[in-house]
Amino acid sequence: MSEDLGFGWQSGLLDLPAYLKRIGYDGDPRPDAATLRALHRAHVTAIPFENLEIILGRPITLDLATVQGKLVDRPRGGYCFEHNRLFAAVLEKIGFEVVALTGRVSMGAAKLLPGTHALLHVRTPGQPVEEPALLCDVGFGAGPLEPLEIPGDREADQDGWGFRLRPGRVTTAWSPSTHLWEMHQRSPDGWIQRHTFALDEAFRVDFDVLNHYVSTSPRSPFTARPYVQRFSPEALHVLDGTTLTTRRPSGESSERALAPEQVPGTLAEVFGIVLDGDDPARLVKALDGSNLDV
């Protein structure tokens, strides 16, 4: 067996039929734009965003076997590095040209924040370089439902949800060739800059380093409380700690507080996440502020 030098996404280790069944894709996937859009939509709406392993005191591991076992073989989800680790392998297996990128999540903040988000820049085989590529963002938890053209400046209305890409502002004189982009999402109060990213290639090892920070640092928002999202054309469901929020494309929203013991059932009913073993009890203890070593 040849040495793994860290390039590519190890798609030879992927169980593609199991993945397609998990996301409800019925067909013969081909490396074309129509297939990519369908796969993106199916993935985003089938596999939720969640950080529960961190809250349960377990590490997030990005080897393909572990990610596939969690997101495909079990009724679980993950966050951006897990989602895009899996989706990159899927696209590579089908025959797409895949380049990973990393982004800085801002959610409207002016402060410079670290690069903690993963995205994928995808082309069909042999696609001319002058034609727009497709930006895939399956791991944010709140869409988009389908890829966005890049470069591109059109607002995308996807089943009532609004997204757009805009060229960003480069602030460093030493990198005049940097191509910076901003992802915007439409909210009831107007457009909000969701994250920025540069067209600089990232690799599996970069995912590993960033994943370590996101999953272990006390400064990371994902080490502080459960954060779960389920996105569909009809609604965005968000569990933030013990607060359950539902937003609609119209801008309508509702919110309710849950008791800690209600959370495991809500995860199953609303998010399709079924915790097994003693994990439901451990999660309730974590939400109660109790020690997880039970």
Side-chain angles (χ1 to χ4, degrees):
M1 180 180 292
S2 61
E3 180 184 2
D4 176 16
L5 299 178
F7 299 97
W9 298 97
Q10 299 179 309
S11 56
L13 305 176
L14 178 76
D15 185 344
L16 184 59
Y19 170 79
L20 297 177
K21 181 179 180 181
R22 170 73 165 105
I23 66 171
Y25 183 90
D26 184 16
D28 180 21
R30 302 177 183 277
D32 56 38
T35 296
L36 181 58
R37 291 188 178 96
L39 288 172
H40 193 290
R41 177 179 283 260
H43 182 118
V44 167
T45 56
I47 307 179
F49 179 104
E50 51 120 322
N51 69 332
L52 298 175
E53 292 296 279
I54 301 170
I55 305 305
L56 292 168
R58 293 193 286 262
I60 301 294
T61 305
L62 296 184
D63 66 277
L64 188 58
T66 299
V67 173
Q68 185 171 242
K70 182 185 175 195
L71 275 66
V72 175
D73 300 335
R74 298 166 61 197
R76 292 291 303 274
Y79 62 9
C80 65
F81 296 111
E82 297 168 282
H83 278 276
N84 284 296
R85 175 71 180 89
L86 175 64
F87 201 55
V90 169
L91 299 185
E92 182 181 78
K93 181 98 169 181
I94 295 170
F96 290 95
E97 298 174 4
V98 184
V99 173
L101 308 171
T102 60
R104 302 176 186 273
V105 177
S106 56
M107 297 306 295
K111 180 181 179 181
L112 182 64
L113 296 167
T116 57
H117 184 50
L119 310 96
L120 301 176
H121 181 280
V122 183
R123 289 185 176 276
T124 56
Q127 179 182 347
V129 295
E130 64 271 12
E131 292 184 1
L134 288 170
L135 182 77
C136 295
D137 198 0
V138 298
F140 198 86
L145 289 165
E146 297 181 3
L148 302 178
E149 285 192 351
I150 180 170
D153 58 3
R154 290 181 298 177
E155 296 178 3
D157 186 287
Q158 299 180 354
D159 294 58
W161 303 101
F163 304 92
R164 71 184 185 192
L165 291 174
R166 289 287 186 271
R169 182 167 57 93
V170 177
T171 59
T172 51
W174 53 265
S175 57
S177 62
T178 298
H179 297 285
L180 191 68
W181 287 86
E182 300 174 355
M183 166 78 84
H184 294 251
Q185 186 164 5
R186 191 170 60 220
S187 74
D189 299 322
W191 290 96
I192 183 172
Q193 178 186 291
R194 193 167 86 173
H195 53 263
T196 64
F197 60 94
L199 297 184
D200 294 331
E201 186 170 8
F203 301 92
R204 280 184 277 134
V205 67
D206 300 312
F207 278 23
D208 290 339
V209 172
L210 295 173
N211 172 62
H212 177 72
Y213 169 82
V214 172
S215 63
T216 64
S217 172
R219 298 180 63 185
S220 167
F222 296 123
T223 62
R225 82 288 190 210
Y227 193 73
V228 186
Q229 298 184 95
R230 185 76 183 263
F231 190 58
S232 73
E234 296 79 27
L236 170 64
H237 301 289
V238 180
L239 178 69
D240 189 345
T242 55
T243 300
L244 177 65
T245 303
T246 298
R247 302 186 183 98
R248 307 287 178 185
S250 64
E252 175 190 0
S253 67
S254 61
E255 179 178 303
R256 66 186 176 100
L258 304 176
E261 58 270 19
Q262 293 178 294
V263 170
T266 300
L267 288 172
E269 295 165 12
V270 178
F271 298 92
I273 295 172
V274 179
L275 299 178
D276 50 22
D278 64 352
D279 281 353
R282 288 168 59 82
L283 180 60
V284 170
K285 284 183 176 293
L287 291 167
D288 275 336
S290 304
N291 194 317
L292 280 178
D293 295 326
V294 293

